[in-house]
Amino acid sequence: MKTIKTLSMLCILLSFMACKKEQNDVAAKDNVPQLKAIASITLANPCAIAVSQGGKIAITEYKQPYGSTGTTKIWNSYTDLMSNKAPAYSFPNIAAEAVAFDKDENLYVVETEQTAAVKIYKKVILNGLERYDAWKTHQGGFINPRGIAFDSKNRLYLADDGNDRLLRFNTPYDN
């Protein structure tokens, strides 16, 4: 029994020492975790990014002064983006700070200025050709909506910064 207690104490001590060493290593790097990028591309003023389940990538650009018209761009794949291909689709936005794709690859863009809304761009396939059409604009008394995400049930979550609230919408596309 004494041996088990001694081993337990030794394990606790070693765990504490390992934890302490990790804390010291982080402190030595100014408490900033060090990430190592495996790829990089230069884009003018990127602000928000979303990746669809099918691999499309949407990026919004930020323009000065704040609240100016920018552009949302969609590439069909990460490979297209990294090879500097032109985006497959692009459309103007105003201070778009968040984007997300739903399970059907419709694109939701959150604009914080002027409209303070969630804009939905519907993925349309007509005669075998794909495009994105402006579909709906949801304005729910938002003030500086800033972040959006979808869960596995395709419910939309919205961070409404100016109203100090988080919202969930079960069927945002259908409303």
Side-chain angles (χ1 to χ4, degrees):
M1 186 69 171
K2 189 173 184 178
T3 303
I4 293 173
K5 274 187 165 178
T6 304
L7 286 174
S8 296
M9 291 302 290
L10 182 59
C11 286
I12 291 169
L13 179 62
L14 290 173
S15 296
F16 175 74
M17 289 172 60
C19 182
K20 194 72 168 161
K21 181 181 180 334
E22 288 175 13
Q23 289 174 352
N24 289 338
D25 288 347
V26 171
K29 295 177 183 172
D30 297 326
N31 291 325
V32 177
Q34 301 299 310
L35 298 176
K36 184 175 181 180
I38 59 167
S40 176
I41 187 166
T42 301
L43 292 172
N45 308 308
C47 186
I49 184 169
V51 181
S52 75
Q53 292 176 7
K56 292 188 182 310
I57 297 181
I59 298 175
T60 66
E61 68 180 21
Y62 174 83
K63 296 283 188 172
Q64 291 286 347
Y66 187 73
S68 298
T69 300
T71 305
T72 297
K73 300 173 183 176
I74 305 172
W75 286 266
N76 285 321
S77 68
Y78 177 75
T79 303
D80 287 356
L81 170 65
M82 295 306 288
S83 62
N84 285 317
K85 284 190 177 179
Y89 319 96
S90 65
F91 37 85
N93 62 61
I94 299 173
E97 290 195 17
V99 309
F101 286 100
D102 68 12
K103 68 176 179 61
D104 298 316
E105 291 193 336
N106 299 305
L107 184 66
Y108 293 66
V109 179
V110 175
E111 293 186 347
T112 61
E113 295 293 315
Q114 295 176 18
T115 58
V118 177
K119 292 189 173 182
I120 303 174
Y121 294 86
K122 180 179 180 179
K123 178 181 168 184
V124 176
I125 299 175
L126 186 61
N127 298 326
L129 299 174
E130 184 181 274
R131 69 175 192 252
Y132 279 83
D133 290 344
W135 176 247
K136 295 180 181 183
T137 299
H138 287 291
Q139 294 173 301
F142 309 133
I143 300 173
N144 284 331
R146 297 201 182 261
I148 56 173
F150 282 91
D151 67 13
S152 62
K153 295 180 180 176
N154 209 38
R155 295 178 294 203
L156 176 69
Y157 295 80
L158 172 71
D160 187 10
D161 177 46
N163 285 316
D164 296 326
R165 62 185 180 167
L166 297 173
L167 305 165
R168 185 180 89 183
F169 303 93
N170 288 339
T171 56
Y173 184 80
D174 297 327
N175 292 332

